[in-house]
Amino acid sequence: MKKIIIILLTTLIACAAPKECCSQNFKKYFKFATFYAAANGGNSVSDVDVFSVTNGLETVTVETPYDYNLALGIRKIARFGYENRASTFYDGTEESWSDGASIGKVRGLEFLFEVDYKRQQGNEYLDQHHFIRFVDNKYILKGEYLEDGFADIKYVEMSERYRYKVNDKLSFNAGLAQRLSEPYGYDPLAEGMLSNGNIHYTYLALQEGYNVDVAASEYFSPSGELVATSKEVWEEVVIPTMLADYTERKRNELNQIIQHSIVLGFDYYHYTKSFWSHAWANIMPWHYDDGGEFSYHAYNNGQWLDYNGGLILGYKVNKSLGTFIEGKYNKYWNREWYDFKFGVNYVIF
């Protein structure tokens, strides 16, 4: 149901654009779009031998299953001058840094819908990035859904902005943004925190269904399985797992909340064959406080600053030497996720 609502919301944004955008001519609507489905895989970290001398020398080999990435998507995004598509096919591993910009290379409608189910070093994640945007000389409309398993961030964002073009390279924008997400800042362990800053983890474990036989030094899971035979294993292995499961369950029990914010941004793009620069940034300096129990204002003691941005620079010094810098950074609700790379290329003739 949530995904259906997301699709409907993003479609409504697209249909708020001029009629040429929502034309019934679907052939024109999807012209130059690419649908792709791909599977990628490879070995993960090598096996590790773990030794124990509790009951004599024992060796246990920890095996990590192979890594894989299953990708499914459709995209219609014009490439900037500095972007090259070296591969014949989309394989789901591509990373287009410019997708994070508010404004694309061309005026009009662009979209991306991609789902990645992946496993890395034994950890499984579901990553999703969907957006649809309409860019005009005077305004920008955008709907986006992001789920990043590594950053533990998931939200829906809608924005409506007025755009002011300084020239063909630089433009500024301002407007409103609405974000639907879980109540970030909520700490399920805060209620059980003691005055010294610690938590009575054994009491919490008992509440969660664990059982403890102190005399026999045996610890059982809610299903009755023996999970520890010493206090050390109980505290260092079982309790961290219990706390992680508890906090995740408590967070999932809460309803999502909507956050209304003011958004300000800029985009700059300049390209020649020897030098290119693409930069963008968005900030949300003010957020409406509805006084709700799980409002982030309560956890943050007032207003806060959310922002994101990116920078792509490339310079060919001569036919042989070139250098580049690329990076993007996001910070929402004091959660950070970012990527960067830089380097030098020298072609030997």
Side-chain angles (χ1 to χ4, degrees):
M1 177 60 72
K2 289 182 180 179
K3 292 181 175 58
I4 295 176
I5 294 175
I6 292 166
I7 293 173
L8 289 175
L9 288 174
T10 52
T11 302
L12 286 174
I13 284 188
C15 291
K19 289 300 180 181
E20 61 176 301
C21 166
C22 282
S23 167
Q24 297 300 315
N25 188 349
F26 287 99
K27 183 177 180 180
K28 178 181 177 181
Y29 188 80
F30 286 97
K31 188 176 182 180
F32 301 123
T34 302
F35 172 82
Y36 52 96
N40 306 276
N43 65 289
S44 187
V45 294
S46 60
D47 298 343
V48 178
D49 292 332
V50 179
F51 301 97
S52 173
V53 293
T54 303
N55 298 310
L57 179 61
E58 296 180 356
T59 304
V60 177
T61 300
V62 179
E63 299 180 355
T64 302
Y66 66 91
D67 294 344
Y68 63 80
N69 181 21
L70 305 177
L72 180 68
I74 182 171
R75 63 184 291 130
K76 180 184 177 182
I77 304 174
R79 292 192 298 272
F80 287 89
Y82 55 80
E83 293 182 302
N84 294 317
R85 184 179 170 189
S87 301
T88 304
F89 301 101
Y90 282 109
D91 60 18
T93 63
E94 295 84 5
E95 185 174 14
S96 180
W97 300 65
S98 62
D99 288 352
S102 302
I103 298 173
K105 184 176 184 294
V106 298
R107 174 178 172 269
L109 180 70
E110 293 186 312
F111 55 81
L112 166 70
F113 296 94
E114 179 172 325
V115 178
D116 294 273
Y117 185 71
K118 60 181 65 174
R119 181 171 66 196
Q120 288 186 270
Q121 298 185 11
N123 297 315
E124 295 183 346
Y125 298 94
L126 176 64
D127 289 349
Q128 300 186 67
H129 189 200
H130 315 305
F131 76 76
I132 182 169
R133 68 187 175 202
F134 188 88
V135 178
D136 193 75
N137 289 330
K138 295 293 185 179
Y139 61 89
I140 306 169
L141 300 174
K142 185 176 181 179
E144 180 177 28
Y145 173 71
L146 178 70
E147 180 176 357
D148 190 320
F150 283 101
D152 190 25
I153 190 79
K154 180 169 61 176
Y155 62 88
V156 179
E157 179 175 311
M158 318 285 285
S159 63
E160 312 80 32
R161 314 187 196 188
Y162 167 75
R163 182 189 183 197
Y164 174 71
K165 292 184 65 176
V166 179
N167 49 46
D168 291 337
K169 298 179 181 180
L170 176 65
S171 69
F172 294 92
N173 57 79
L176 300 175
Q178 305 82 37
R179 290 174 293 172
L180 182 68
S181 70
E182 69 172 78
Y184 289 112
Y186 166 68
D187 182 6
L189 300 178
E191 297 176 359
M193 202 72 67
L194 302 175
S195 58
N196 59 3
N198 295 325
I199 186 169
H200 199 323
Y201 51 81
T202 299
Y203 174 77
L204 181 58
L206 295 175
Q207 294 293 106
E208 289 298 291
Y210 286 82
N211 288 294
V212 178
D213 187 336
V214 179
S217 189
E218 292 181 338
Y219 303 83
F220 299 90
S221 70
S223 62
E225 178 186 0
L226 180 65
V227 292
T229 56
S230 68
K231 183 180 179 181
E232 289 74 21
V233 174
W234 169 251
E235 293 181 344
E236 297 178 12
V237 179
V238 180
I239 289 299
T241 301
M242 181 275 297
L243 292 176
D245 293 341
Y246 172 78
T247 54
E248 182 178 6
R249 178 176 62 81
K250 294 295 287 185
R251 286 170 54 185
N252 291 337
E253 288 176 354
L254 297 179
N255 294 325
Q256 295 189 326
I257 61 175
I258 188 168
Q259 181 70 67
H260 300 274
S261 309
I262 291 176
V263 59
L264 308 171
F266 83 90
D267 282 79
Y268 177 82
Y269 174 65
H270 169 74
Y271 175 78
T272 67
K273 290 184 177 181
S274 60
F275 174 76
W276 54 90
S277 173
H278 187 192
W280 66 91
N282 301 282
I283 62 172
M284 299 181 187
W286 184 87
H287 316 273
Y288 173 70
D289 184 3
D290 62 1
E293 178 183 359
F294 300 108
S295 169
Y296 193 72
H297 294 79
Y299 305 122
N300 195 67
N301 296 320
Q303 294 290 337
W304 70 98
L305 186 67
D306 286 339
Y307 52 90
N308 64 69
L311 174 66
I312 298 174
L313 289 174
Y315 178 48
K316 293 185 177 180
V317 181
N318 51 47
K319 292 183 178 180
S320 298
L321 180 63
T323 184
F324 66 92
I325 300 174
E326 299 182 4
K328 56 182 180 179
Y329 181 86
N330 303 269
K331 186 176 182 181
Y332 277 10
W333 302 290
N334 289 318
R335 290 174 176 260
E336 301 174 294
W337 65 104
Y338 52 87
D339 301 280
F340 66 88
K341 58 183 177 180
F342 56 89
V344 175
N345 287 184
Y346 186 84
V347 179
I348 301 176
F349 289 96

